[in-house]
Amino acid sequence: MNKFRSKKFLFLSLAVMLVLSLLAACSQNTADPGESNEPGNETSSNSGEEVKELSLFIDASWYPVKEWKGSVAEKITEKTGIKLKVTVATDDKQLPLMIASGDLPDLVFTNANIDRMSDSKLSYPWNELIEKYAPEFKIDNTRIAIHTMDDGNFYTVRNSFATQEEMAQNKYAIGSDGNPGIAVREDILKELGNPSIQSLDDFTKVLGMVKEKYPDMVPLIMDKDWIEQYFIQQIGVEALMDGWYEQDGEIEYAIKHPKMLDYFKFMNSLYRNGYILAENFAHANDQIDDQYATSGKAFAHSHTVNVADMDNIAVKKNGGAYTFKMLPSALSSDAKSVSTGLGFAGTFITKENKDPEASIKFIEYLASDEGKKLTMFGVEGEHWTWNEEGYPNLNYDPSDSEFVNSNGIKWWYLYNDGITEGMLGYVPGTQKTQALMERKAITIYKPEIGLIQTQPDSEEKTIKTKIDEMIKNEKVKIYLSKTEEEAIANYENMIKTAESMGLQKLVDWANQTYQKKKDLFK
């Protein structure tokens, strides 16, 4: 009998424990619907809906963020119920190979392959997805016109774009890091007697003084991707060598600009005088110039408008005692900045996408005022507060790339605009802000020129690709010519070679395209 009671008691005890554990589990699930140990079954904290994971390919091997993490990514997931599985390109050939093989992810973010991805065989038209799934998602007519392809559809909208009117109406939108600048060592300037640098001649004279007094120091080191931009604009050339410029209503290729030879002669003089290194034109990556500048091996550092602020942060972290300051954004009365840009990169919803509805709604949130500010500035209240004058008061230094990248600030701008991005540059008291304000004063906007774009697999594309590849090789020969006469001869030979490759045919096509497209901006 006692034995029976003992078994009965054990059975009742186990039953009670089982009921209690079930009740606890139910209580736990009710209290926090956002938690789950099951993979692929996460939930969005604001809606209770399951978090969807979409794959994203970033077509930029230099991209500084590689994973969907950090406070900005987490907040976007909280707001949208979307998280991204990110892959960053290893080189510029990876996406074309993926396209050829049909092995595409849900989303593609690209600058170099926008025309190629704007294809109904590869991507969903945004206009169709918006009409079907997101009818409240409004995009202005200018951006639609810019991105509409010959089939009548638009497949993306680039970030970082703003019209001249938009920029004029927003005085705190002063631009982004994507503008050239040069910084110089303040301590060395002081040792040289603080010579004034208000012109290109002033600058080259100081480089000569540095070379003479500090023979082991490189007078000027240049980021491999920013060799041309600052000086070509100071000379008064209105486009980089693979671009177009407009004169008297006609379009011409930049290498034939009347002042392009002056630019080449200037750059060649820097080399012949020993102010720049021959190996600078063959740097394997874009960190080598930073190492020269922040380790005390260079006097001047050519990169972007952010270069002084970034170098100063790095020098301080390395225990250095010197600082850099920016040169004026205009060192010449001829200085000219013409913005022909249509933005930087765009996001595509591929035909392999597992959830086009969630994808276009995800982009719709990023395109909202809240989404643009979250992406570009960080989490409101934590990273910034809104100044009633119309710009964000940042609680961090936007030049601190380690902080910015670790929090995912800016780099998830899969949809944004030049106004919001331009306000990230407005940090009163910083050198970057001063440089950008100077540049805004000399910048005019001609986005209609940016619409002169060759189509994939077209004859114009083939001609332009061959000419640009030739220029890439031949321009270095001009830079490194042993005499000015040799530089002139090499430049003239480059022009003749381009003409033999079909340059005039390309220019004729560009003018026809320009005359059709420019009315979009009237």
Side-chain angles (χ1 to χ4, degrees):
M1 188 70 176
N2 289 339
K3 195 174 191 178
F4 173 75
R5 286 179 179 173
S6 176
K7 287 183 178 179
K8 185 177 180 182
F9 179 79
L10 178 62
F11 173 78
L12 289 171
S13 298
L14 290 172
V16 170
M17 289 174 65
L18 178 60
V19 170
L20 288 173
S21 65
L22 288 171
L23 288 171
C26 290
S27 173
Q28 194 173 38
N29 286 341
T30 303
D32 190 358
E35 290 187 2
S36 172
N37 292 325
E38 294 297 320
N41 193 35
E42 301 170 69
T43 55
S44 173
S45 61
N46 74 320
S47 64
E49 297 178 357
E50 183 178 325
V51 170
K52 297 182 175 71
E53 182 177 79
L54 299 174
S55 54
L56 167 68
F57 181 80
I58 298 176
D59 184 27
S61 58
W62 51 267
Y63 220 69
V65 292
K66 314 288 185 184
E67 299 177 74
W68 186 252
K69 65 179 184 179
S71 54
V72 171
E74 291 167 3
K75 181 63 72 172
I76 292 174
T77 296
E78 176 186 320
K79 292 289 185 178
T80 65
I82 298 293
K83 70 175 184 178
L84 301 178
K85 183 178 181 181
V86 179
T87 301
V88 176
T90 55
D91 56 43
D92 60 3
K93 300 177 179 61
Q94 190 172 355
L95 181 55
L97 288 173
M98 292 166 66
I99 292 171
S101 67
D103 184 23
L104 290 170
D106 296 308
L107 304 170
V108 169
F109 183 62
T110 181
N111 179 45
N113 289 283
I114 283 180
D115 286 343
R116 188 176 293 274
M117 288 298 300
S118 295
D119 184 333
S120 61
K121 297 184 183 68
L122 301 175
S123 307
Y124 284 103
W126 276 24
N127 46 291
E128 292 182 3
L129 294 179
I130 289 171
E131 182 180 3
K132 186 174 183 180
Y133 299 120
E136 300 302 313
F137 184 6
K138 304 299 181 184
I139 300 174
D140 65 276
N141 291 334
T142 298
R143 285 171 173 81
I144 290 175
I146 286 172
H147 294 92
T148 297
M149 307 304 288
D150 291 342
D151 64 1
N153 295 312
F154 65 98
Y155 297 83
T156 191
V157 171
R158 293 173 179 87
N159 61 21
S160 304
F161 173 76
T163 66
Q164 185 152 8
E165 291 73 25
E166 289 172 337
M167 292 296 285
Q169 291 166 8
N170 292 270
K171 66 178 180 178
Y172 299 115
I174 57 175
S176 69
D177 291 354
N179 287 285
I182 295 180
V184 295
R185 287 267 299 266
E186 289 190 279
D187 58 327
I188 292 177
L189 271 183
K190 185 176 181 180
E191 291 174 15
L192 295 174
N194 284 321
S196 175
I197 303 179
Q198 298 298 323
S199 68
L200 284 178
D201 284 342
D202 289 342
F203 181 51
T204 54
K205 287 176 183 176
V206 170
L207 294 180
M209 296 166 68
V210 171
K211 180 175 174 57
E212 182 177 351
K213 188 167 184 177
Y214 307 93
D216 295 329
M217 179 174 282
V218 179
L220 170 62
I221 196 73
M222 303 175 289
D223 182 278
K224 76 179 190 69
D225 298 319
W226 291 84
I227 285 173
E228 301 166 11
Q229 289 88 326
Y230 185 86
F231 293 119
I232 209 166
Q233 292 180 356
Q234 303 305 317
I235 298 295
V237 179
E238 299 166 40
L240 297 180
M241 290 179 210
D242 61 351
W244 307 97
Y245 73 97
E246 180 266 335
Q247 191 168 25
D248 300 327
E250 294 293 315
I251 293 296
E252 184 57 87
Y253 214 48
I255 58 170
K256 295 190 72 175
H257 192 283
K259 294 186 176 181
M260 185 61 79
L261 180 56
D262 292 336
Y263 161 76
F264 274 116
K265 288 160 68 174
F266 174 80
M267 292 295 289
N268 174 244
S269 71
L270 293 181
Y271 169 69
R272 287 187 292 104
N273 286 313
Y275 302 157
I276 58 178
L277 302 172
E279 54 264 36
N280 202 152
F281 299 99
H283 280 172
N285 60 63
D286 62 357
Q287 283 85 53
I288 296 174
D289 58 296
D290 299 336
Q291 293 164 6
Y292 269 91
T294 59
S295 64
K297 296 178 181 178
F299 164 70
H301 187 192
S302 172
H303 192 197
T304 72
V305 288
N306 205 21
V307 64
D309 290 331
M310 290 189 68
D311 283 352
N312 289 340
I313 290 171
V315 170
K316 186 175 181 180
K317 286 182 178 179
N318 293 338
Y322 57 91
T323 56
F324 284 87
K325 76 170 185 177
M326 295 298 296
L327 293 184
S329 289
L331 273 185
S332 162
S333 58
D334 294 323
K336 188 178 295 184
S337 172
V338 178
S339 175
T340 63
L342 303 175
F344 166 54
T347 303
F348 291 85
I349 300 172
T350 76
K351 285 295 180 71
E352 304 301 316
N353 188 290
K354 66 177 76 72
D355 197 332
E357 179 179 359
S359 298
I360 195 66
K361 288 181 176 177
F362 173 68
I363 293 173
E364 180 182 19
Y365 172 76
L366 296 181
S368 69
D369 184 66
E370 177 184 297
K372 288 187 290 188
K373 289 176 179 176
L374 168 59
T375 304
M376 195 57 57
F377 309 144
V379 179
E380 186 173 8
E382 177 183 348
H383 296 131
W384 61 277
T385 55
W386 191 248
N387 187 301
E388 60 184 21
E389 290 189 21
Y391 65 89
N393 289 321
L394 304 178
N395 300 329
Y396 58 92
D397 184 347
S399 298
D400 187 346
S401 57
E402 183 177 333
F403 178 87
V404 169
N405 296 348
S406 64
N407 281 280
I409 295 169
K410 177 183 175 177
W411 296 110
W412 301 120
Y413 58 165
L414 305 179
Y415 188 111
N416 218 293
D417 62 33
I419 298 302
T420 311
E421 185 175 353
M423 285 190 284
L424 185 62
Y426 189 78
V427 183
T430 63
Q431 296 194 64
K432 172 185 172 182
T433 294
Q434 179 62 32
L436 284 171
M437 291 176 72
E438 292 172 359
R439 288 193 58 78
K440 186 172 182 177
I442 64 168
T443 299
I444 59 174
Y445 293 79
K446 294 185 178 181
E448 57 269 31
I449 296 177
L451 287 170
I452 304 172
Q453 299 176 7
T454 57
Q455 299 301 306
D457 305 319
S458 65
E459 182 181 10
E460 294 80 24
K461 178 76 170 180
T462 300
I463 294 172
K464 189 174 189 303
T465 299
K466 289 180 178 178
I467 289 175
D468 290 345
E469 188 63 29
M470 180 273 295
I471 292 171
K472 187 187 300 183
N473 297 322
E474 295 301 313
K475 68 183 180 183
V476 178
K477 293 181 183 178
I478 305 174
Y479 292 145
L480 304 183
S481 296
K482 295 177 181 178
T483 65
E484 184 174 288
E485 290 72 24
E486 183 182 330
I488 295 171
N490 284 335
Y491 170 74
E492 292 174 346
N493 182 66
M494 182 178 74
I495 296 298
K496 289 178 182 177
T497 303
E499 290 172 342
S500 71
M501 298 171 76
L503 178 60
Q504 190 56 52
K505 186 172 186 178
L506 184 64
V507 170
D508 291 341
W509 164 84
N511 270 295
Q512 292 174 6
T513 302
Y514 177 69
Q515 302 308 324
K516 294 176 184 176
K517 298 284 189 179
K518 66 180 182 179
D519 290 340
L520 290 172
F521 293 89
K522 288 184 178 179

